[in-house]
Amino acid sequence: MVVYAAFLGLGLSIGIVGPTFQDLAVNVNRNISDISYIFVGRACGYLGGSVIGGFLFDRMNHNLILGLSMLGASVGLSLVPFCKKAILLVVMMAVFGICTGILDTGGNVLILHIWRSEAAPHLQALHFTFALGAFLAPILAKLALGSAVPSENHMIADMSNHSELTLPPAADLEVIFGVPANKNLLWAYAVIGTYTLVMFAFFIVLFFKKIPNQEKAKEAAQKIRTTKYQNALLGLLFVFFFFYVGAEVTYGSYVFSFGTRHAGMSESQAAGLNSAFWGTFAACRGMAICFATCLQPGTMIVLSNVGSLFSSLLLVIFDKNHICLWVATAVYGASMATTFPSGISWIEQYMTIKGKSAALFVVGAALGEMVIPVVVGSLQGKYPHLPGILYVSLGSAIATGVLFPIMYKLATAPLHSKIQESRKSEDQKALLSTSRFNDEDEDDYGEEGAEEEWDKVDFEMIEMTDTMRNSVIETSRKILRESPTEISSHLLSNDTPFSSSLVITGNSPVKPLPLDREKND
């Protein structure tokens, strides 16, 4: 529940940038195309945070890492409205991106570790809370708090001149860092920053809570899954999430500006259009929690790709029709909703996902979030009369629609015999490791389901041991009957019960076992 609440804050943090984009431009006295590089800063931080989180989550306490990431996100987000320089705003967005990258990677890995094969609906619930936060962000920014920015400031923000505006004489500190004139901008970021700070406190409480060692035993008991083209599949998933997340974040961030500048909507209408996208996005993810229990992840991905392609095509054709914009935006948001969690659930069926693998997916998403918004910002700056955001959305939908059939073909390719034998060996190691954890932590188990699981493992281990022991005893008896005089004086060591160090004498083709070993057995 704490991770779900943290992802709600993540959605609020990501979604607040779109409706406050023009306000941030006014705050730093730049136009929209000039400050589009805040997406680069946030995505670069997101990229670095994803890589860092992928390594840390395999080595450190999950709750501590998530708590520290929420603390950093709270600080960075709260300082964003105070930035009076574009470069400082980019830096703050980068700090915020590092923390959210760690949170995104860690949240997905933690849900997979807890639920494993049953993780599909729980992943949908996790990303539903993110979408819910993104849906509430425009309401918080524009509808609940309102807009106090004068119309002339918006005219300044929309000027085509890319140079910094002339400011009245002021102290250097005030020019770089100061209280924003728009108090609603300040309150919007302050509320979200306070919320993430509360999440930090919850994670710290969980950090000091004692966690039984049975979680390690359950992790060791999991079978190691792999595919024939594992590296190629990971690379294609990297590209797949690059286009998907890039299109999702870009549309959610630029649809407000697109509605006001290209479609001729008022601010309240554009904010409503933005909320329509995130609202259907969140609603469909909420329904996907139930759908994931009866539909395969691959089926949900195919349905999402078809819906994204159809709706983005309608947006391109009817780019100035308000009714079509509302309907197609709602369909586009619903179609984009389940792709990311379904993609993680789908690949988990074919290979084991750990921190590094999850980090690779989030890195691809971060690169998409970094590159695609910049492309759209450049298109809006150079060709203000063209709906660049819609063209990019259509291209991304085509790319994801083509990539998934290729990934499915690679994932379902039959394994080589050597890979199958290696996987069986890994499963046996996991079984032995599970038995060891069961012996050490027997007193910590209180659930009947866990006890029954360990009893089955112990029973299988006892059967394996008895079979091997009986085979050794029978072989030693045969040897003793056939050539008792050729027993070597070099006896078996007690530390290696199933290996022999006897010296063969005469013409005996076998290594006899000592008599006292038979008696002990």
Side-chain angles (χ1 to χ4, degrees), residues 344-369:
I344 298 178
S345 301
W346 176 77
I347 191 59
E348 176 69 16
Q349 295 176 334
Y350 301 99
M351 57 184 295
T352 301
I353 301 300
K354 296 184 179 180
K356 295 180 181 179
S357 300
L360 183 64
F361 304 154
V362 181
V363 165
L367 285 177
E369 184 182 352

mmCIF file with all atom_site columns, all heavy atoms in Angstrom, residues 344-369:
data_model
loop_
_atom_site.group_PDB
_atom_site.id
_atom_site.type_symbol
_atom_site.label_atom_id
_atom_site.label_alt_id
_atom_site.label_comp_id
_atom_site.label_asym_id
_atom_site.label_entity_id
_atom_site.label_seq_id
_atom_site.pdbx_PDB_ins_code
_atom_site.Cartn_x
_atom_site.Cartn_y
_atom_site.Cartn_z
_atom_site.occupancy
_atom_site.B_iso_or_equiv
_atom_site.pdbx_formal_charge
_atom_site.auth_seq_id
_atom_site.auth_comp_id
_atom_site.auth_asym_id
_atom_site.auth_atom_id
_atom_site.pdbx_PDB_model_num
ATOM 1   N N   . ILE A 1 344 ? 5.768  -5.598  -18.699 1.00 0.00 ? 344 ILE A N   1
ATOM 2   C CA  . ILE A 1 344 ? 6.597  -6.206  -17.643 1.00 0.00 ? 344 ILE A CA  1
ATOM 3   C C   . ILE A 1 344 ? 6.049  -7.572  -17.256 1.00 0.00 ? 344 ILE A C   1
ATOM 4   O O   . ILE A 1 344 ? 6.806  -8.534  -17.065 1.00 0.00 ? 344 ILE A O   1
ATOM 5   C CB  . ILE A 1 344 ? 6.661  -5.268  -16.429 1.00 0.00 ? 344 ILE A CB  1
ATOM 6   C CG1 . ILE A 1 344 ? 7.327  -3.944  -16.815 1.00 0.00 ? 344 ILE A CG1 1
ATOM 7   C CG2 . ILE A 1 344 ? 7.422  -5.924  -15.281 1.00 0.00 ? 344 ILE A CG2 1
ATOM 8   C CD1 . ILE A 1 344 ? 7.387  -2.935  -15.698 1.00 0.00 ? 344 ILE A CD1 1
ATOM 9   N N   . SER A 1 345 ? 4.720  -7.688  -17.128 1.00 0.00 ? 345 SER A N   1
ATOM 10  C CA  . SER A 1 345 ? 4.121  -8.988  -16.797 1.00 0.00 ? 345 SER A CA  1
ATOM 11  C C   . SER A 1 345 ? 4.362  -9.999  -17.911 1.00 0.00 ? 345 SER A C   1
ATOM 12  O O   . SER A 1 345 ? 4.594  -11.190 -17.649 1.00 0.00 ? 345 SER A O   1
ATOM 13  C CB  . SER A 1 345 ? 2.616  -8.826  -16.564 1.00 0.00 ? 345 SER A CB  1
ATOM 14  O OG  . SER A 1 345 ? 2.353  -7.915  -15.524 1.00 0.00 ? 345 SER A OG  1
ATOM 15  N N   . TRP A 1 346 ? 4.320  -9.541  -19.158 1.00 0.00 ? 346 TRP A N   1
ATOM 16  C CA  . TRP A 1 346 ? 4.519  -10.442 -20.293 1.00 0.00 ? 346 TRP A CA  1
ATOM 17  C C   . TRP A 1 346 ? 5.933  -11.002 -20.329 1.00 0.00 ? 346 TRP A C   1
ATOM 18  O O   . TRP A 1 346 ? 6.124  -12.211 -20.475 1.00 0.00 ? 346 TRP A O   1
ATOM 19  C CB  . TRP A 1 346 ? 4.208  -9.690  -21.587 1.00 0.00 ? 346 TRP A CB  1
ATOM 20  C CG  . TRP A 1 346 ? 4.464  -10.493 -22.823 1.00 0.00 ? 346 TRP A CG  1
ATOM 21  C CD1 . TRP A 1 346 ? 3.691  -11.483 -23.351 1.00 0.00 ? 346 TRP A CD1 1
ATOM 22  C CD2 . TRP A 1 346 ? 5.614  -10.391 -23.681 1.00 0.00 ? 346 TRP A CD2 1
ATOM 23  N NE1 . TRP A 1 346 ? 4.272  -12.006 -24.477 1.00 0.00 ? 346 TRP A NE1 1
ATOM 24  C CE2 . TRP A 1 346 ? 5.450  -11.348 -24.698 1.00 0.00 ? 346 TRP A CE2 1
ATOM 25  C CE3 . TRP A 1 346 ? 6.741  -9.580  -23.679 1.00 0.00 ? 346 TRP A CE3 1
ATOM 26  C CZ2 . TRP A 1 346 ? 6.391  -11.509 -25.714 1.00 0.00 ? 346 TRP A CZ2 1
ATOM 27  C CZ3 . TRP A 1 346 ? 7.668  -9.740  -24.694 1.00 0.00 ? 346 TRP A CZ3 1
ATOM 28  C CH2 . TRP A 1 346 ? 7.499  -10.697 -25.696 1.00 0.00 ? 346 TRP A CH2 1
ATOM 29  N N   . ILE A 1 347 ? 6.932  -10.152 -20.153 1.00 0.00 ? 347 ILE A N   1
ATOM 30  C CA  . ILE A 1 347 ? 8.309  -10.641 -20.216 1.00 0.00 ? 347 ILE A CA  1
ATOM 31  C C   . ILE A 1 347 ? 8.648  -11.495 -19.000 1.00 0.00 ? 347 ILE A C   1
ATOM 32  O O   . ILE A 1 347 ? 9.486  -12.392 -19.068 1.00 0.00 ? 347 ILE A O   1
ATOM 33  C CB  . ILE A 1 347 ? 9.299  -9.455  -20.346 1.00 0.00 ? 347 ILE A CB  1
ATOM 34  C CG1 . ILE A 1 347 ? 10.708 -9.957  -20.688 1.00 0.00 ? 347 ILE A CG1 1
ATOM 35  C CG2 . ILE A 1 347 ? 9.322  -8.634  -19.080 1.00 0.00 ? 347 ILE A CG2 1
ATOM 36  C CD1 . ILE A 1 347 ? 10.787 -10.729 -21.963 1.00 0.00 ? 347 ILE A CD1 1
ATOM 37  N N   . GLU A 1 348 ? 7.970  -11.289 -17.876 1.00 0.00 ? 348 GLU A N   1
ATOM 38  C CA  . GLU A 1 348 ? 8.197  -12.100 -16.676 1.00 0.00 ? 348 GLU A CA  1
ATOM 39  C C   . GLU A 1 348 ? 7.785  -13.548 -16.905 1.00 0.00 ? 348 GLU A C   1
ATOM 40  O O   . GLU A 1 348 ? 8.274  -14.453 -16.223 1.00 0.00 ? 348 GLU A O   1
ATOM 41  C CB  . GLU A 1 348 ? 7.415  -11.503 -15.501 1.00 0.00 ? 348 GLU A CB  1
ATOM 42  C CG  . GLU A 1 348 ? 7.487  -12.295 -14.206 1.00 0.00 ? 348 GLU A CG  1
ATOM 43  C CD  . GLU A 1 348 ? 8.856  -12.271 -13.552 1.00 0.00 ? 348 GLU A CD  1
ATOM 44  O OE1 . GLU A 1 348 ? 9.684  -11.407 -13.929 1.00 0.00 ? 348 GLU A OE1 1
ATOM 45  O OE2 . GLU A 1 348 ? 9.105  -13.099 -12.672 1.00 0.00 ? 348 GLU A OE2 1
ATOM 46  N N   . GLN A 1 349 ? 6.913  -13.814 -17.875 1.00 0.00 ? 349 GLN A N   1
ATOM 47  C CA  . GLN A 1 349 ? 6.512  -15.177 -18.192 1.00 0.00 ? 349 GLN A CA  1
ATOM 48  C C   . GLN A 1 349 ? 7.625  -15.968 -18.853 1.00 0.00 ? 349 GLN A C   1
ATOM 49  O O   . GLN A 1 349 ? 7.632  -17.204 -18.786 1.00 0.00 ? 349 GLN A O   1
ATOM 50  C CB  . GLN A 1 349 ? 5.297  -15.162 -19.129 1.00 0.00 ? 349 GLN A CB  1
ATOM 51  C CG  . GLN A 1 349 ? 4.039  -14.586 -18.503 1.00 0.00 ? 349 GLN A CG  1
ATOM 52  C CD  . GLN A 1 349 ? 2.899  -14.518 -19.500 1.00 0.00 ? 349 GLN A CD  1
ATOM 53  O OE1 . GLN A 1 349 ? 3.118  -14.438 -20.719 1.00 0.00 ? 349 GLN A OE1 1
ATOM 54  N NE2 . GLN A 1 349 ? 1.677  -14.557 -18.999 1.00 0.00 ? 349 GLN A NE2 1
ATOM 55  N N   . TYR A 1 350 ? 8.560  -15.288 -19.477 1.00 0.00 ? 350 TYR A N   1
ATOM 56  C CA  . TYR A 1 350 ? 9.583  -15.961 -20.265 1.00 0.00 ? 350 TYR A CA  1
ATOM 57  C C   . TYR A 1 350 ? 10.981 -15.861 -19.665 1.00 0.00 ? 350 TYR A C   1
ATOM 58  O O   . TYR A 1 350 ? 11.858 -16.649 -20.030 1.00 0.00 ? 350 TYR A O   1
ATOM 59  C CB  . TYR A 1 350 ? 9.618  -15.384 -21.693 1.00 0.00 ? 350 TYR A CB  1
ATOM 60  C CG  . TYR A 1 350 ? 8.306  -15.525 -22.421 1.00 0.00 ? 350 TYR A CG  1
ATOM 61  C CD1 . TYR A 1 350 ? 7.412  -14.467 -22.499 1.00 0.00 ? 350 TYR A CD1 1
ATOM 62  C CD2 . TYR A 1 350 ? 7.946  -16.729 -23.010 1.00 0.00 ? 350 TYR A CD2 1
ATOM 63  C CE1 . TYR A 1 350 ? 6.198  -14.586 -23.162 1.00 0.00 ? 350 TYR A CE1 1
ATOM 64  C CE2 . TYR A 1 350 ? 6.731  -16.870 -23.683 1.00 0.00 ? 350 TYR A CE2 1
ATOM 65  C CZ  . TYR A 1 350 ? 5.863  -15.800 -23.746 1.00 0.00 ? 350 TYR A CZ  1
ATOM 66  O OH  . TYR A 1 350 ? 4.669  -15.931 -24.394 1.00 0.00 ? 350 TYR A OH  1
ATOM 67  N N   . MET A 1 351 ? 11.229 -14.923 -18.797 1.00 0.00 ? 351 MET A N   1
ATOM 68  C CA  . MET A 1 351 ? 12.545 -14.773 -18.193 1.00 0.00 ? 351 MET A CA  1
ATOM 69  C C   . MET A 1 351 ? 12.411 -14.117 -16.832 1.00 0.00 ? 351 MET A C   1
ATOM 70  O O   . MET A 1 351 ? 11.447 -13.400 -16.567 1.00 0.00 ? 351 MET A O   1
ATOM 71  C CB  . MET A 1 351 ? 13.476 -13.948 -19.089 1.00 0.00 ? 351 MET A CB  1
ATOM 72  C CG  . MET A 1 351 ? 12.956 -12.567 -19.435 1.00 0.00 ? 351 MET A CG  1
ATOM 73  S SD  . MET A 1 351 ? 14.019 -11.672 -20.574 1.00 0.00 ? 351 MET A SD  1
ATOM 74  C CE  . MET A 1 351 ? 15.470 -11.472 -19.553 1.00 0.00 ? 351 MET A CE  1
ATOM 75  N N   . THR A 1 352 ? 13.381 -14.396 -15.957 1.00 0.00 ? 352 THR A N   1
ATOM 76  C CA  . THR A 1 352 ? 13.361 -13.848 -14.609 1.00 0.00 ? 352 THR A CA  1
ATOM 77  C C   . THR A 1 352 ? 13.844 -12.406 -14.635 1.00 0.00 ? 352 THR A C   1
ATOM 78  O O   . THR A 1 352 ? 14.910 -12.103 -15.165 1.00 0.00 ? 352 THR A O   1
ATOM 79  C CB  . THR A 1 352 ? 14.259 -14.688 -13.679 1.00 0.00 ? 352 THR A CB  1
ATOM 80  O OG1 . THR A 1 352 ? 13.784 -16.031 -13.674 1.00 0.00 ? 352 THR A OG1 1
ATOM 81  C CG2 . THR A 1 352 ? 14.233 -14.133 -12.262 1.00 0.00 ? 352 THR A CG2 1
ATOM 82  N N   . ILE A 1 353 ? 13.049 -11.507 -14.064 1.00 0.00 ? 353 ILE A N   1
ATOM 83  C CA  . ILE A 1 353 ? 13.360 -10.084 -14.060 1.00 0.00 ? 353 ILE A CA  1
ATOM 84  C C   . ILE A 1 353 ? 13.958 -9.711  -12.709 1.00 0.00 ? 353 ILE A C   1
ATOM 85  O O   . ILE A 1 353 ? 13.331 -9.914  -11.669 1.00 0.00 ? 353 ILE A O   1
ATOM 86  C CB  . ILE A 1 353 ? 12.107 -9.234  -14.326 1.00 0.00 ? 353 ILE A CB  1
ATOM 87  C CG1 . ILE A 1 353 ? 11.497 -9.622  -15.679 1.00 0.00 ? 353 ILE A CG1 1
ATOM 88  C CG2 . ILE A 1 353 ? 12.443 -7.757  -14.305 1.00 0.00 ? 353 ILE A CG2 1
ATOM 89  C CD1 . ILE A 1 353 ? 12.430 -9.416  -16.854 1.00 0.00 ? 353 ILE A CD1 1
ATOM 90  N N   . LYS A 1 354 ? 15.175 -9.185  -12.735 1.00 0.00 ? 354 LYS A N   1
ATOM 91  C CA  . LYS A 1 354 ? 15.834 -8.690  -11.535 1.00 0.00 ? 354 LYS A CA  1
ATOM 92  C C   . LYS A 1 354 ? 16.043 -7.177  -11.659 1.00 0.00 ? 354 LYS A C   1
ATOM 93  O O   . LYS A 1 354 ? 15.538 -6.545  -12.584 1.00 0.00 ? 354 LYS A O   1
ATOM 94  C CB  . LYS A 1 354 ? 17.162 -9.412  -11.320 1.00 0.00 ? 354 LYS A CB  1
ATOM 95  C CG  . LYS A 1 354 ? 16.999 -10.910 -11.046 1.00 0.00 ? 354 LYS A CG  1
ATOM 96  C CD  . LYS A 1 354 ? 18.338 -11.563 -10.744 1.00 0.00 ? 354 LYS A CD  1
ATOM 97  C CE  . LYS A 1 354 ? 18.156 -13.039 -10.442 1.00 0.00 ? 354 LYS A CE  1
ATOM 98  N NZ  . LYS A 1 354 ? 19.457 -13.704 -10.133 1.00 0.00 ? 354 LYS A NZ  1
ATOM 99  N N   . GLY A 1 355 ? 16.796 -6.631  -10.726 1.00 0.00 ? 355 GLY A N   1
ATOM 100 C CA  . GLY A 1 355 ? 16.974 -5.185  -10.702 1.00 0.00 ? 355 GLY A CA  1
ATOM 101 C C   . GLY A 1 355 ? 17.606 -4.640  -11.972 1.00 0.00 ? 355 GLY A C   1
ATOM 102 O O   . GLY A 1 355 ? 17.171 -3.613  -12.505 1.00 0.00 ? 355 GLY A O   1
ATOM 103 N N   . LYS A 1 356 ? 18.617 -5.322  -12.495 1.00 0.00 ? 356 LYS A N   1
ATOM 104 C CA  . LYS A 1 356 ? 19.307 -4.820  -13.685 1.00 0.00 ? 356 LYS A CA  1
ATOM 105 C C   . LYS A 1 356 ? 18.411 -4.862  -14.917 1.00 0.00 ? 356 LYS A C   1
ATOM 106 O O   . LYS A 1 356 ? 18.425 -3.946  -15.742 1.00 0.00 ? 356 LYS A O   1
ATOM 107 C CB  . LYS A 1 356 ? 20.579 -5.627  -13.918 1.00 0.00 ? 356 LYS A CB  1
ATOM 108 C CG  . LYS A 1 356 ? 21.619 -5.457  -12.820 1.00 0.00 ? 356 LYS A CG  1
ATOM 109 C CD  . LYS A 1 356 ? 22.865 -6.285  -13.101 1.00 0.00 ? 356 LYS A CD  1
ATOM 110 C CE  . LYS A 1 356 ? 23.887 -6.119  -11.978 1.00 0.00 ? 356 LYS A CE  1
ATOM 111 N NZ  . LYS A 1 356 ? 25.095 -6.936  -12.200 1.00 0.00 ? 356 LYS A NZ  1
ATOM 112 N N   . SER A 1 357 ? 17.624 -5.949  -15.050 1.00 0.00 ? 357 SER A N   1
ATOM 113 C CA  . SER A 1 357 ? 16.714 -6.040  -16.194 1.00 0.00 ? 357 SER A CA  1
ATOM 114 C C   . SER A 1 357 ? 15.636 -4.971  -16.122 1.00 0.00 ? 357 SER A C   1
ATOM 115 O O   . SER A 1 357 ? 15.314 -4.327  -17.129 1.00 0.00 ? 357 SER A O   1
ATOM 116 C CB  . SER A 1 357 ? 16.075 -7.432  -16.237 1.00 0.00 ? 357 SER A CB  1
ATOM 117 O OG  . SER A 1 357 ? 17.049 -8.442  -16.359 1.00 0.00 ? 357 SER A OG  1
ATOM 118 N N   . ALA A 1 358 ? 15.075 -4.781  -14.937 1.00 0.00 ? 358 ALA A N   1
ATOM 119 C CA  . ALA A 1 358 ? 14.063 -3.730  -14.776 1.00 0.00 ? 358 ALA A CA  1
ATOM 120 C C   . ALA A 1 358 ? 14.660 -2.358  -15.040 1.00 0.00 ? 358 ALA A C   1
ATOM 121 O O   . ALA A 1 358 ? 13.994 -1.477  -15.601 1.00 0.00 ? 358 ALA A O   1
ATOM 122 C CB  . ALA A 1 358 ? 13.464 -3.793  -13.372 1.00 0.00 ? 358 ALA A CB  1
ATOM 123 N N   . ALA A 1 359 ? 15.917 -2.166  -14.642 1.00 0.00 ? 359 ALA A N   1
ATOM 124 C CA  . ALA A 1 359 ? 16.581 -0.888  -14.900 1.00 0.00 ? 359 ALA A CA  1
ATOM 125 C C   . ALA A 1 359 ? 16.710 -0.636  -16.402 1.00 0.00 ? 359 ALA A C   1
ATOM 126 O O   . ALA A 1 359 ? 16.573 0.501   -16.862 1.00 0.00 ? 359 ALA A O   1
ATOM 127 C CB  . ALA A 1 359 ? 17.957 -0.868  -14.249 1.00 0.00 ? 359 ALA A CB  1
ATOM 128 N N   . LEU A 1 360 ? 16.952 -1.704  -17.185 1.00 0.00 ? 360 LEU A N   1
ATOM 129 C CA  . LEU A 1 360 ? 17.065 -1.542  -18.633 1.00 0.00 ? 360 LEU A CA  1
ATOM 130 C C   . LEU A 1 360 ? 15.754 -1.045  -19.232 1.00 0.00 ? 360 LEU A C   1
ATOM 131 O O   . LEU A 1 360 ? 15.754 -0.167  -20.103 1.00 0.00 ? 360 LEU A O   1
ATOM 132 C CB  . LEU A 1 360 ? 17.466 -2.876  -19.269 1.00 0.00 ? 360 LEU A CB  1
ATOM 133 C CG  . LEU A 1 360 ? 17.688 -2.857  -20.787 1.00 0.00 ? 360 LEU A CG  1
ATOM 134 C CD1 . LEU A 1 360 ? 18.864 -1.962  -21.148 1.00 0.00 ? 360 LEU A CD1 1
ATOM 135 C CD2 . LEU A 1 360 ? 17.906 -4.264  -21.314 1.00 0.00 ? 360 LEU A CD2 1
ATOM 136 N N   . PHE A 1 361 ? 14.628 -1.575  -18.748 1.00 0.00 ? 361 PHE A N   1
ATOM 137 C CA  . PHE A 1 361 ? 13.340 -1.115  -19.254 1.00 0.00 ? 361 PHE A CA  1
ATOM 138 C C   . PHE A 1 361 ? 13.117 0.354   -18.915 1.00 0.00 ? 361 PHE A C   1
ATOM 139 O O   . PHE A 1 361 ? 12.674 1.142   -19.760 1.00 0.00 ? 361 PHE A O   1
ATOM 140 C CB  . PHE A 1 361 ? 12.201 -1.944  -18.651 1.00 0.00 ? 361 PHE A CB  1
ATOM 141 C CG  . PHE A 1 361 ? 12.338 -3.420  -18.871 1.00 0.00 ? 361 PHE A CG  1
ATOM 142 C CD1 . PHE A 1 361 ? 11.765 -4.327  -17.995 1.00 0.00 ? 361 PHE A CD1 1
ATOM 143 C CD2 . PHE A 1 361 ? 13.045 -3.920  -19.952 1.00 0.00 ? 361 PHE A CD2 1
ATOM 144 C CE1 . PHE A 1 361 ? 11.883 -5.685  -18.192 1.00 0.00 ? 361 PHE A CE1 1
ATOM 145 C CE2 . PHE A 1 361 ? 13.180 -5.280  -20.165 1.00 0.00 ? 361 PHE A CE2 1
ATOM 146 C CZ  . PHE A 1 361 ? 12.598 -6.159  -19.283 1.00 0.00 ? 361 PHE A CZ  1
ATOM 147 N N   . VAL A 1 362 ? 13.414 0.706   -17.679 1.00 0.00 ? 362 VAL A N   1
ATOM 148 C CA  . VAL A 1 362 ? 13.185 2.083   -17.245 1.00 0.00 ? 362 VAL A CA  1
ATOM 149 C C   . VAL A 1 362 ? 14.152 3.031   -17.943 1.00 0.00 ? 362 VAL A C   1
ATOM 150 O O   . VAL A 1 362 ? 13.812 4.188   -18.215 1.00 0.00 ? 362 VAL A O   1
ATOM 151 C CB  . VAL A 1 362 ? 13.300 2.180   -15.718 1.00 0.00 ? 362 VAL A CB  1
ATOM 152 C CG1 . VAL A 1 362 ? 13.046 3.602   -15.244 1.00 0.00 ? 362 VAL A CG1 1
ATOM 153 C CG2 . VAL A 1 362 ? 12.305 1.238   -15.053 1.00 0.00 ? 362 VAL A CG2 1
ATOM 154 N N   . VAL A 1 363 ? 15.372 2.567   -18.262 1.00 0.00 ? 363 VAL A N   1
ATOM 155 C CA  . VAL A 1 363 ? 16.312 3.397   -19.018 1.00 0.00 ? 363 VAL A CA  1
ATOM 156 C C   . VAL A 1 363 ? 15.758 3.687   -20.409 1.00 0.00 ? 363 VAL A C   1
ATOM 157 O O   . VAL A 1 363 ? 15.830 4.818   -20.904 1.00 0.00 ? 363 VAL A O   1
ATOM 158 C CB  . VAL A 1 363 ? 17.684 2.707   -19.098 1.00 0.00 ? 363 VAL A CB  1
ATOM 159 C CG1 . VAL A 1 363 ? 18.557 3.360   -20.166 1.00 0.00 ? 363 VAL A CG1 1
ATOM 160 C CG2 . VAL A 1 363 ? 18.390 2.772   -17.753 1.00 0.00 ? 363 VAL A CG2 1
ATOM 161 N N   . GLY A 1 364 ? 15.201 2.671   -21.053 1.00 0.00 ? 364 GLY A N   1
ATOM 162 C CA  . GLY A 1 364 ? 14.571 2.900   -22.349 1.00 0.00 ? 364 GLY A CA  1
ATOM 163 C C   . GLY A 1 364 ? 13.430 3.891   -22.252 1.00 0.00 ? 364 GLY A C   1
ATOM 164 O O   . GLY A 1 364 ? 13.277 4.775   -23.107 1.00 0.00 ? 364 GLY A O   1
ATOM 165 N N   . ALA A 1 365 ? 12.617 3.751   -21.193 1.00 0.00 ? 365 ALA A N   1
ATOM 166 C CA  . ALA A 1 365 ? 11.532 4.701   -20.976 1.00 0.00 ? 365 ALA A CA  1
ATOM 167 C C   . ALA A 1 365 ? 12.068 6.108   -20.737 1.00 0.00 ? 365 ALA A C   1
ATOM 168 O O   . ALA A 1 365 ? 11.504 7.095   -21.232 1.00 0.00 ? 365 ALA A O   1
ATOM 169 C CB  . ALA A 1 365 ? 10.679 4.240   -19.787 1.00 0.00 ? 365 ALA A CB  1
ATOM 170 N N   . ALA A 1 366 ? 13.154 6.208   -19.972 1.00 0.00 ? 366 ALA A N   1
ATOM 171 C CA  . ALA A 1 366 ? 13.729 7.528   -19.682 1.00 0.00 ? 366 ALA A CA  1
ATOM 172 C C   . ALA A 1 366 ? 14.286 8.186   -20.934 1.00 0.00 ? 366 ALA A C   1
ATOM 173 O O   . ALA A 1 366 ? 14.143 9.401   -21.124 1.00 0.00 ? 366 ALA A O   1
ATOM 174 C CB  . ALA A 1 366 ? 14.832 7.388   -18.628 1.00 0.00 ? 366 ALA A CB  1
ATOM 175 N N   . LEU A 1 367 ? 14.921 7.403   -21.796 1.00 0.00 ? 367 LEU A N   1
ATOM 176 C CA  . LEU A 1 367 ? 15.435 7.967   -23.044 1.00 0.00 ? 367 LEU A CA  1
ATOM 177 C C   . LEU A 1 367 ? 14.296 8.456   -23.928 1.00 0.00 ? 367 LEU A C   1
ATOM 178 O O   . LEU A 1 367 ? 14.390 9.503   -24.578 1.00 0.00 ? 367 LEU A O   1
ATOM 179 C CB  . LEU A 1 367 ? 16.274 6.923   -23.779 1.00 0.00 ? 367 LEU A CB  1
ATOM 180 C CG  . LEU A 1 367 ? 17.665 6.649   -23.210 1.00 0.00 ? 367 LEU A CG  1
ATOM 181 C CD1 . LEU A 1 367 ? 18.348 5.529   -23.995 1.00 0.00 ? 367 LEU A CD1 1
ATOM 182 C CD2 . LEU A 1 367 ? 18.517 7.907   -23.237 1.00 0.00 ? 367 LEU A CD2 1
ATOM 183 N N   . GLY A 1 368 ? 13.208 7.672   -23.963 1.00 0.00 ? 368 GLY A N   1
ATOM 184 C CA  . GLY A 1 368 ? 12.043 8.125   -24.727 1.00 0.00 ? 368 GLY A CA  1
ATOM 185 C C   . GLY A 1 368 ? 11.455 9.400   -24.166 1.00 0.00 ? 368 GLY A C   1
ATOM 186 O O   . GLY A 1 368 ? 11.068 10.305  -24.909 1.00 0.00 ? 368 GLY A O   1
ATOM 187 N N   . GLU A 1 369 ? 11.414 9.478   -22.827 1.00 0.00 ? 369 GLU A N   1
ATOM 188 C CA  . GLU A 1 369 ? 10.918 10.689  -22.179 1.00 0.00 ? 369 GLU A CA  1
ATOM 189 C C   . GLU A 1 369 ? 11.835 11.877  -22.419 1.00 0.00 ? 369 GLU A C   1
ATOM 190 O O   . GLU A 1 369 ? 11.392 13.034  -22.381 1.00 0.00 ? 369 GLU A O   1
ATOM 191 C CB  . GLU A 1 369 ? 10.783 10.419  -20.677 1.00 0.00 ? 369 GLU A CB  1
ATOM 192 C CG  . GLU A 1 369 ? 10.182 11.553  -19.887 1.00 0.00 ? 369 GLU A CG  1
ATOM 193 C CD  . GLU A 1 369 ? 10.109 11.251  -18.405 1.00 0.00 ? 369 GLU A CD  1
ATOM 194 O OE1 . GLU A 1 369 ? 10.383 10.095  -18.024 1.00 0.00 ? 369 GLU A OE1 1
ATOM 195 O OE2 . GLU A 1 369 ? 9.791  12.167  -17.621 1.00 0.00 ? 369 GLU A OE2 1
#
